[in-house]
Amino acid sequence: MKDIDILIIGAGISGSVLAERYANIGKKVLIIEKRNHIAGNCYDYIDENGILVSKYGAHLFHTNEESVWKYVNQFSEWYPWEHKVVARVDTKTVPIPVNITTVNELFDAKITNEEEMKEWLEKHRSPIATPSNGEEAVLSRVGPHLYEKMFKHYTKKQWDKYPSELDASVLERIPVRTNYDDRYFSDVYQALPKGGYTQLFENILNHPNIEVLLETDYFDVKDDFTNYGKLFYTGPVDRFFAFKHSLLEKLEYRSINFVSETIDAEFYQENSVVNYPGMEVDFTRIIEYKHFGNQKSEKTTIVKEFTVDEGEPYYPVPNPRNQEIYTKYKAEADQLVDVYFVGRLANYKYFNMDQAFKNAFDLFDALEKTTKSTYKTAV
Ligand code: UDP
């Protein structure tokens, strides 16, 4: 007899979804969470200015996956939010992703339609059939001028690496538009949870079969919790195998230093997110949370993001070297029985939120196929 059916390490997206799925088929679930709150990096709260802010950076939900959209709608109401980002480049403010307006503003071009924009891109880009890194990916799409102004230094500040040292997929997250569309994402569903993300997670975890143990580092208590049916680990994969560090190299992660300020004004900037892709400042972007959901307050809160090496791991660093190291950890992980690695840090993948949701409930489906008829999301 097992004390706990399902032991989950981490109360972020992956851990919470798996907890909810298993609780719903009658399993007893225990989540062990190091931090003093649920919701992982999606955690948000009302700050001293009465503004809903995210502790670990803005989280913009967007998906094309019908199943994910249906799943998250069970736990919160959502309001439509099409995210937009502008960048301060030289003395100008331009839309990112690059669109017709971006090129007109920066290069004093007079493009008026898609055809002219395609011609401009054809003239300036350096086509590469299969870009092998981030630099080639950007050069192939928009050419060297935009690469220099909008991508090269932002990437260096974000990753402490130039785009040439990262996988093409990192830079390919940002599309290039041949029209005036200034939305950051193109997905069918783009929305924010009405009561915030923390409330969404409270609702996901609100089940009598789920217990959450906060402020507990699993590695401090792991010997007390060995009698489980299945273990789902959502932390950094290399930390799980820390005892083997002498044999396996450490994976790289990026962290962010969030520096928050209260500004005694109605608004500080014209948009929720302003990127600073140049070298004149050390931070990558400034987030002004009051814009999300058009919140009201006499003052406003802004948060500057400085990316750093040390600190809580937020981003895996996708490049061939880390992938090679990860493959070795994965081989170790695959040998374990009833232990599963899931999510951004445990799979060492730069998942968006919707991918994390999908990955977690797909894993549940794969493991528990026989109980599929009880899924709330089965359609
Ligand atoms: N990027 C850039 N300039 C920008 C915005 C993004 O060079 O103004 C590059 C940078 O390498 C960044 C990547 O594109 O890490 C992905 O950007 P995204 O906004 O998706 O990053 P996230 O929101 O996950 O930090």
Side-chain angles (χ1 to χ4, degrees), residues 251-297:
L251 283 161
E252 277 178 285
Y253 297 90
R254 297 295 287 161
S255 187
I256 299 177
N257 188 10
F258 297 99
V259 178
S260 183
E261 278 173 54
T262 291
I263 307 288
D264 198 358
E266 195 187 358
F267 282 105
Y268 172 78
Q269 61 192 27
E270 70 278 34
N271 195 52
S272 58
V273 178
V274 177
N275 283 6
Y276 288 80
M279 284 188 296
E280 62 282 358
V281 292
D282 290 341
F283 49 84
T284 50
R285 53 191 173 193
I286 300 182
I287 318 290
E288 186 172 24
Y289 283 96
K290 204 175 168 185
H291 288 281
F292 295 121
N294 303 316
Q295 303 183 61
K296 305 277 175 262
S297 166

Side-chain angles (χ1 to χ4, degrees), residues 346-364:
N347 293 145
Y348 203 69
K349 290 211 172 61
Y350 193 171
F351 285 140
N352 285 329
M353 279 189 282
D354 66 326
Q355 294 169 309
F357 275 102
K358 189 168 180 339
N359 195 47
F361 60 66
D362 281 353
L363 175 62
F364 174 79

Side-chain angles (χ1 to χ4, degrees), residues 241 244-251 325 328-329 332:
F241 295 104
K244 289 198 167 160
H245 268 165
S246 52
L247 298 176
L248 296 176
E249 276 176 274
K250 199 171 157 13
L251 283 161
I325 299 172
K328 293 180 187 153
Y329 282 107
E332 295 281 335

